[in-house]
Every structure is written in C-alpha cells, then in structure tokens.
Amino acid sequence: MSAPSDSRPSARTLDIIRQLVAFPTVSRDSNLGLIEWTRDFLARRGVPLRLTYDAEGGKANLFATLGEGPRPGLVLSGHTDVVPVDGQDWTLDPFAPEERDGRLYGRGAADMKSFIGTALSWTDDFLAAGLDHPIHLALSYDEEVGCIGVRGLLRDLREQGLQPAGCIVGEPTGMHAVVGHKGLAGYRCRIRGREAHSALTPQGVNAVEYAARLIVYIRLIADRLRQLESRHYGYDVPHSTLNTGLVQGGIAINVVPRDCEVIFECRYLPSTDPRAVLDEIRAYAERELLPEMRAVAPEAAIAFEQIADLPAFDSDAAAPMTRFAQALADSRAAAEDEGRGRYVAFGTEAGLFQRAGMATVLCGPGHIAQAHKPDEWIALSQIAACEQFMGRLAQGASGFGAVGPTPSP
C-alpha cells in the first residue's frame, strides 16, 4: 500500500473502517456479523485464524496470524464491542458512518474500530513483508463491560502453547505510547439481617442500616488513601479511589429490611494491592458488624463477591516495547513522548495481556475524549498517522528484536 498523506488516510482503509462501524456491536448484542466479515476478509488471503465463542455462541473473539518467522510474534489488539447509543442526542445515524470536515463520525470510530480497520487494511503488506516474526490480530468481545472476551482468547492461546512476545493495544491515545493505567476491582456485598414489623424494630436486624455503616467505613478508607497513599502524578487522580455505586435494599417503610446489596469499586494504582483493601473492609464487617447482628439474629450474614477484575497496566518509558511503539508512531508524538511515560485514566485489556506474559503498550488513533458520546468521531489525520505506524511495521521497523516475553506475575 502506498503511504498516506499526513492528513488523509487511504480510501481502502476508510472503506474498511466504515464497514466495521456499520456493524452495531453494542456489548449487549452479538458481534458475530463483524467477526464473520473479518474472518472472510482474512480467509480470502489464506490467513490462519481461530475463533473462540462465549458460552451461548452469540459472540466470538478472533485471533489471526499473518506471516511466519523464527521469533515470537507481535499482537495488534482491539475490542469489537461499543457502548450503547440509547438516550444520546445523535445528529446522525451512529451506525452509518459519515465523513465531515476532516472527521469520520460513528459509534466506535474512535473507540476503537479505526485501529482495527487500519490493521486489516495493511494485511496484504504484512503478508508480503517477509518479517522475521508474525503479526497477530486479536479481536475481542465485551471489553466495554469488564474485558470479558479477551480472557477466553488468552486462555485459548495458553492451551495452544502460543506465546507472542509483545502486544500493541490500539485504544485511542492520539498515537502516543501509553505505559500505564489504574486497575479496577469491583465487589458486591450482600447483607442478610432479620425482618420485623417496624413497630417491633428491636426484634429485627436492619440490613440497610448495617450496609450504611459499611459504606461509611469504605469512605473512611477512601479518605485515608487520598490523604496518605504515595502519589503517582502521571494520573489525573494521583491516588487510588473507592466508590460505592449501587445500594439496593428494603421492601416497605414499615418493614425492617432483611436484605441489602452494596456494589462498590476500587480503582487502584499499580503499586496498590486491592485485595488488601477488601481484606480490611471484610475484617471490619466481621469484627464490628456481624457480632452485633448475630446477637439478635444468629442467621445474619455478610458476604463479599468480586464481580470485576481489571488488572492495572504498568510499564515504563524505557521498556523496549514502549520504545518500539514510539519508533513506529508519528514522529511528532514520538518526539513528545521521548524519555517519559504517558498514562491514561481509563481501563483497557493491556493489563491482561501483560499478565499473560507479553510486553505491552497502548498506542492507537483518536482520543478518548471523543468516544462514548453523541456524534463520536475521529480525525482523519489520526487514521493517517495510524497508517504510517502500520507502514513502518510492515517495513520491518527496528526495535522489536529487543522485545522479549514478560514473565507472568
């Protein structure tokens, strides 16, 4: 493929991106239309690939291998699902992409079908390049609802004995190499008390009230982290945070509620262990709350369940994978990033690839500020910069030879 201009990508790349955006792959729905289109696109070129499905068979990951080589390969990773458009004030059809004033509009244009489409557009070049390592394409489902699909993809690779050396996750970073984001641990706490008529309140155990005490304690830990935790000023919020996002309990004003459910999260710095935070919350419940509850109702209980586990991503500016991505990126972005690490506030699949032993970096076209909102868009110049990135990769840009598998933590 000929190199794009600095401001406009090739017609072929734009056509592929438009086709991907046109698939309404909202996380609650199937992504098979997009996956099967991609499967057929690659199969026509003789590319070996694997699909891994969810339990119901309505969603799938795709893992393809472009070329061969004596060294472990490089993964280009993207998620196929997008967030809903319900209730948003769009001025155009979110799944009928439109080009206006140097921008491409449509749900997923920024997050992150432009990266996937650009990588697919360079398939023939990767196949013809004769690289000494394969290029792998990894497309996942349900990233937006907890990075669910990629876990099955990684498990399948492990079972097949496949261990790529590195991974570029193409989330929208403005084509800057990003080396870190916080982790997310989400928990559900179910509190069981004892029902009673509100006129006989002392005979019951009010699950909502004990939930309130637990929530206050969670807030106290959050305040302590804000005041005392070591800072990481690469992040907008330079410390770990706790948030109680959902509380449900009770059936009527004149009934002492037996049950209450609390859902809370910890967004933690890579240096913080979320298990220690949960252990402290659980210890408080067992030490302070349960004895009081069981003095009235021996059957009372407090149970914690983890419902989200998105590990932190933590690399550095000097890592070979970071420097390799900087060498591939737009020269201006690479110059700005030289010698320093960039961090983002949002979570990605990068920590899971890193946990699987791959040297990982975030680098992709567009900006997160343009994603998840009405009239989502990406600048055509960003897609062009991503094409230049892929072009350097197809030309065998130096640096990947220094990247080796990362030992799993």
Side-chain angles (χ1 to χ4, degrees), residues 5 10 12 32-33 51 81 93 102 137 242 244 252 258 311 315 329 333:
S5 70
S10 68
R12 177 171 179 77
L32 289 185
L51 302 185
D81 61 316
D93 183 338
L137 301 179
L242 286 162
T244 300
R258 183 190 68 174
S315 185

Side-chain angles (χ1 to χ4, degrees), residues 41-53:
F41 176 92
L42 295 171
R44 288 193 296 272
R45 291 158 172 80
V47 174
L49 57 85
R50 307 175 59 83
L51 302 185
T52 53
Y53 292 86

Side-chain angles (χ1 to χ4, degrees), residues 208-287:
V208 170
E209 292 180 353
Y210 280 97
R213 290 174 60 180
L214 185 74
I215 292 167
V216 169
Y217 190 75
I218 292 171
R219 177 54 189 265
L220 290 174
I221 296 176
D223 289 343
R224 188 187 72 216
L225 292 170
R226 176 175 55 82
Q227 295 167 5
L228 301 178
E229 188 180 40
S230 296
R231 296 307 201 241
H232 190 314
Y233 288 103
Y235 296 99
D236 294 336
V237 179
H239 53 83
S240 302
T241 59
L242 286 162
N243 178 65
T244 300
L246 184 63
V247 182
Q248 294 179 316
I251 59 173
I253 191 173
N254 59 349
V255 177
V256 174
R258 183 190 68 174
D259 295 300
C260 190
E261 180 177 283
V262 176
I263 294 179
F264 63 98
E265 68 166 25
C266 177
R267 291 188 181 262
Y268 57 93
L269 294 176
S271 58
T272 295
D273 182 358
R275 294 170 297 184
V277 175
L278 177 64
D279 287 346
E280 184 176 356
I281 295 169
R282 181 185 284 116
Y284 168 78
E286 294 175 352
R287 181 183 67 250

Side-chain angles (χ1 to χ4, degrees), residues 9 18 24-25 48 52 72 93 166 171 182 214 237 264 283 306 329 348 393:
R18 287 192 185 99
T25 53
T52 53
D93 183 338
E171 291 279 2
K182 291 181 180 180
L214 185 74
V237 179
F264 63 98
Q306 184 161 6
T348 76
L393 179 58

Side-chain angles (χ1 to χ4, degrees), residues 106-191:
R107 173 59 86 221
D111 186 16
M112 56 181 293
K113 292 180 178 179
S114 288
F115 177 81
I116 296 172
T118 305
L120 287 173
S121 182
W122 282 80
T123 296
D124 293 336
D125 298 82
F126 292 142
L127 290 171
L131 300 175
D132 63 356
H133 60 85
I135 300 293
H136 303 290
L137 301 179
L139 309 186
S140 64
Y141 66 85
D142 282 2
E143 187 270 354
E144 297 287 6
V145 291
C147 295
I148 295 172
V150 71
R151 300 169 196 268
L153 184 151
L154 291 171
R155 183 169 55 250
D156 182 62
L157 295 187
R158 185 171 61 251
E159 291 171 354
Q160 298 302 315
L162 295 173
Q163 181 61 60
C167 177
I168 297 172
V169 180
E171 291 279 2
T173 67
M175 295 309 300
H176 290 281
V178 168
V179 299
H181 64 65
K182 291 181 180 180
L184 167 64
Y187 303 100
R188 176 185 290 113
C189 177
R190 291 189 173 97
I191 300 173

